[in-house]
Amino acid sequence: MGLFNRLFGRAGRPAPTSPEAVRELLFDAVQSQNDAALIRLCAEHEALLLEHYPAWLTVPESVRKEPTHLQRYGQGLIGIAQCLAETRNRPEMFQRMMGTPADNPIVRWQETRERANTLMRGLDFEGALSLLTPEAERIQGLSGGSAETMKAMTFGQMAACHFQEGRAETALPLFRQAIDLCRRAGDDEGVVAYLENSFEAHRYLGQGVDAAGVAMELAVALEQVGQDSRARRIRKVAEIVRAGEPLNRVVAELDSVTLELDELPALIEGKLQFIFCRNRLDLARTTALVERGRVLGGEGRYGEALALFEEARRIDAYSPEPRYEGAVTLLLLQRASEAVSWYDEVEALAPGWYRCRAERWLAAGIAAGRIPYLAFTVMRTLELPNLGAEDRLRLTRQAIGEAPGVPELQLQLGRQLTALDRKDEARAALEVGLAQAEEPDIRSRLLIESAADAAPSADRDRMLHEAMEPGGNLVAAAMARVLLHSGTGQHLVH
C-alpha cells in the first residue's frame, strides 16, 4: 500500500493544518498552472474557502512590500476565485474580489481602455485621449501584479493618439515610458511594439540619428524573441536612416521578403515586385479619407472626392497620397492648371511617386493647349481591366491620330502590340515614343519596355543605363538595375 501511495503521489503530502496552509497550496497550484490540483483542492476545501476567502482579500503587510510576492498573491486569489466560479458554481468570491467597476481599478481601466479603443477605431483620437489621460493618473499609484502592464498599455495608447494627431514629439516620451514598463514586466512583445512605434515617430519628425538608434534597439529586442530575419531587416533600415533616408525610394519584395535593391541576388528566382518606400508613415485619418475619396471617385463623384483629398491634405503635411489622388481628380474635372500645382506638391514630398512626373507633364500640356484632353481620357480608359486587346489597340490608335505627340500613347501601343505577338510593330511604336519623349519619367519607361525583350547587346545596356538616370521613373530604374545585374530578362511585377 505504501509503495502505491508513493507511485501515485499520495505519500509525503501532509494534510494542511490551517486556512493559511490551504491557501499556500492553492497559490502553488495556480503558479505551477496545475489545473487538476487546483480543481481538487477547491473541491476538498470549498467550505473553508467560502469562510476565509473574504479575509484573504486584505493583503498581508509583509506581502505588499515585496513585488514578486504581491504578484503571486494577487494571481493566486484570482485563480482560486475563477476556479470556484467555473468548477463549483460559486461565483460570489470572484464577484466580491472584483467589486463594482467604480470600486475596482482593474475593471474600470479595462472598460476605459475598451471605450478608448472604440474611439480610436473611429479615428476620434482626441476623444480617446480625454478618457486615457485621467485614467493614466488614476492608475499611477498601483503596483505589483499587472499594474506595470496596465500603465504601459495606457501610455502606449496615449502616445498613438498623439502621433495620429500629428504630435509625434509629444508621443515619444510616452512611448519610452511604455517601453521601460514593458521591460520591467518582462513583456517582450510590448517592448518590440513600442520600439517600432517610437522608431516611426522619430522618422516622422525627421530625426534620422535618433530613429537609427531606436532601430538598433529594436533589432536587439527582435533577436531576443527569435525574430532574426526581421532584426536583419531593421538593421539595414537603420543604416539607411542614419545616412539620410530618401523621401521616397523603391524597394523589392522577393517572395514576400522585403529587400533593398543592393540586397537582391544575381539570380532571381520567384516573384519579384517593386514597391515604394517613404521616410514617413501616413496618418490613419489621411489613409481613411483617401480611401473614401477613391471610392467616390470610382463612382464618378469627383467633386466630393476632391473635398476629401483636400481635407486629408490639410491634416497631413507630409503625405503625397491625397495630393496625388487630388491631382488626378482635378484632371478628371478638367482643371489641369490646378492639377499641375498638386503634382508639384507630390514631387516635393515624394520625388518620383508612381507616375506623378509623367502625369504632371501631361497636365501641363493640356493646360497650355498643346495636348488635347482626349489623351488623358483614353489613358484612363485603357486602365479598365475588362477591355479587350483589339479594343485597346483601336482606342490607342485613335488617340494617337488626335494627339500624335504624346509618347505615353506610343508606350501603350507598344505593349498592346507585344501582347498580340506583333513584336516588330511594337518595337517601331516604342521607337516613335522614344523620339518624342523629352520628359524623363516616360522616357525611362519606354527604354525599359524596349530593352526588356531585347537580346543582350551594347545597345540594350545603353538603354538600361539611361533608364537609371536621375529624374526618371523609379520603378523603371529599379528594373533596369536588375536586368543589368542579372544579364537576362526577369519576370518583374509592379
Side-chain angles (χ1 to χ4, degrees):
M1 185 70 177
L3 175 62
F4 284 104
N5 280 342
R6 290 189 185 91
L7 286 174
F8 289 96
R10 293 173 185 167
R13 182 172 61 82
T17 57
S18 68
E20 290 72 22
V22 172
R23 183 186 68 198
E24 290 305 308
L25 285 174
L26 286 159
F27 283 5
D28 287 342
V30 172
Q31 286 295 302
S32 63
Q33 299 182 351
N34 189 337
D35 294 340
L38 181 62
I39 292 169
R40 176 177 54 77
L41 288 166
C42 283
E44 289 177 3
H45 302 287
E46 181 177 339
L48 181 147
L49 291 173
L50 294 175
E51 178 183 354
H52 292 279
Y53 190 93
W56 295 346
L57 293 175
T58 302
V59 183
E61 186 65 28
S62 59
V63 173
R64 293 181 195 175
K65 294 178 180 178
E66 177 53 56
T68 56
H69 294 172
L70 181 61
Q71 183 173 354
R72 175 179 179 273
Y73 195 95
Q75 291 173 344
L77 289 178
I78 293 172
I80 294 169
Q82 287 178 329
C83 184
L84 286 170
E86 294 171 5
T87 67
R88 308 300 299 170
N89 195 27
R90 301 305 298 254
E92 54 266 49
M93 295 299 100
F94 188 77
Q95 292 169 351
R96 179 161 186 167
M97 182 192 71
M98 298 303 288
T100 64
D103 297 331
N104 190 291
I106 297 176
V107 174
R108 184 180 62 202
W109 172 79
Q110 288 173 333
E111 291 187 349
T112 299
R113 186 167 179 270
E114 288 172 5
R115 288 166 58 201
N117 277 335
T118 300
L119 291 171
M120 291 173 73
R121 284 192 293 271
L123 307 181
D124 183 2
F125 300 108
E126 295 292 5
L129 275 170
S130 70
L131 296 176
L132 293 167
T133 303
E135 188 62 28
E137 295 176 2
R138 277 194 290 267
I139 65 174
Q140 193 61 37
L142 298 181
S143 62
S146 59
E148 289 181 337
T149 299
M150 290 166 59
K151 293 175 189 176
M153 295 173 74
T154 305
F155 287 138
Q157 275 187 291
M158 291 169 63
C161 288
H162 283 294
F163 191 177
Q164 291 300 332
E165 287 295 323
R167 299 189 294 267
E169 68 285 349
T170 305
L172 278 169
L174 291 167
F175 280 136
R176 180 51 61 180
Q177 289 184 73
I179 292 164
D180 293 342
L181 286 163
C182 285
R183 280 183 171 144
R184 289 205 292 271
D187 180 3
D188 294 332
E189 291 184 3
V191 170
V192 167
Y194 297 128
L195 280 171
E196 287 176 328
N197 290 328
S198 183
F199 169 66
E200 294 297 349
H202 279 298
R203 286 177 86 205
Y204 193 83
L205 292 169
Q207 298 171 350
V209 174
D210 291 333
V214 173
M216 296 304 292
E217 196 178 347
L218 172 59
V220 172
L222 288 167
E223 288 166 347
Q224 290 173 344
V225 295
Q227 298 188 35
D228 293 344
S229 61
R230 286 187 65 198
R232 285 192 295 273
R233 173 63 189 158
I234 200 66
R235 286 182 189 278
K236 179 68 174 181
V237 172
E239 294 174 10
I240 295 168
V241 172
R242 182 176 285 111
E245 187 177 14
L247 296 175
N248 182 40
R249 70 185 189 277
V250 166
V251 298
E253 277 194 358
L254 182 56
D255 288 338
S256 301
V257 176
T258 302
L259 300 168
E260 298 297 324
L261 298 182
D262 62 4
E263 295 179 301
L264 283 170
L267 178 62
I268 295 174
E269 298 179 352
K271 181 181 177 182
L272 177 63
Q273 187 171 4
F274 295 109
I275 57 175
F276 288 102
C277 180
R278 289 181 54 237
N279 67 327
R280 288 181 173 91
L281 292 178
D282 283 343
L283 301 179
R285 283 198 293 157
T286 301
T287 301
L289 287 166
V290 168
E291 288 302 318
R292 284 167 52 197
R294 285 175 178 151
V295 171
L296 291 173
E299 298 171 354
R301 297 157 66 180
Y302 302 130
E304 296 172 69
L306 183 61
L308 293 179
F309 298 140
E310 287 174 331
E311 184 181 351
R313 180 189 183 204
R314 287 191 296 272
I315 288 172
D316 196 332
Y318 298 112
S319 175
E321 286 278 14
R323 292 158 175 85
Y324 183 77
E325 296 293 339
V328 174
T329 304
L330 284 163
L331 275 174
L332 289 165
L333 290 167
Q334 301 192 43
R335 292 157 60 179
S337 295
E338 294 172 74
V340 170
S341 66
W342 282 56
Y343 279 123
D344 287 340
E345 289 185 29
V346 176
E347 181 67 14
L349 292 170
W353 187 251
Y354 289 92
R355 292 177 295 183
C356 70
R357 291 168 173 170
E359 289 175 14
R360 185 209 179 277
W361 177 87
L362 183 67
I366 293 171
R370 291 183 289 102
I371 299 173
Y373 185 70
L374 173 74
F376 171 71
T377 59
V378 167
M379 283 191 283
R380 292 285 295 182
T381 304
L382 292 172
E383 293 175 3
L384 297 174
N386 58 348
L387 200 63
E390 293 295 341
D391 287 334
R392 290 177 187 278
L393 186 60
R394 178 182 52 78
L395 276 173
T396 305
R397 289 195 187 279
Q398 178 186 342
I400 290 172
E402 298 190 34
V406 180
E408 182 138 4
L409 289 172
Q410 296 292 338
L411 174 62
Q412 294 295 334
L413 179 61
R415 287 175 173 171
Q416 289 148 24
L417 289 166
T418 298
L420 293 168
D421 202 28
R422 294 159 63 175
K423 294 187 178 180
D424 289 340
E425 293 175 76
R427 279 193 292 272
L430 295 173
E431 287 173 5
V432 172
L434 283 168
Q436 295 173 341
E438 297 177 355
E439 196 284 318
D441 182 289
I442 183 61
R443 183 169 183 82
S444 60
R445 285 189 283 141
L446 281 159
L447 287 163
I448 282 294
E449 200 75 24
S450 300
D453 292 325
S457 67
D459 188 52
R460 176 181 180 271
D461 287 353
R462 177 194 58 76
M463 288 191 289
L464 293 174
H465 281 292
E466 186 182 346
M468 294 172 61
E469 290 180 0
N473 184 275
L474 297 186
V475 173
M479 289 180 174
R481 178 174 183 152
V482 170
L483 292 171
L484 280 167
H485 189 53
S486 65
T488 59
Q490 302 286 337
H491 181 62
L492 306 175
V493 181
H494 170 47

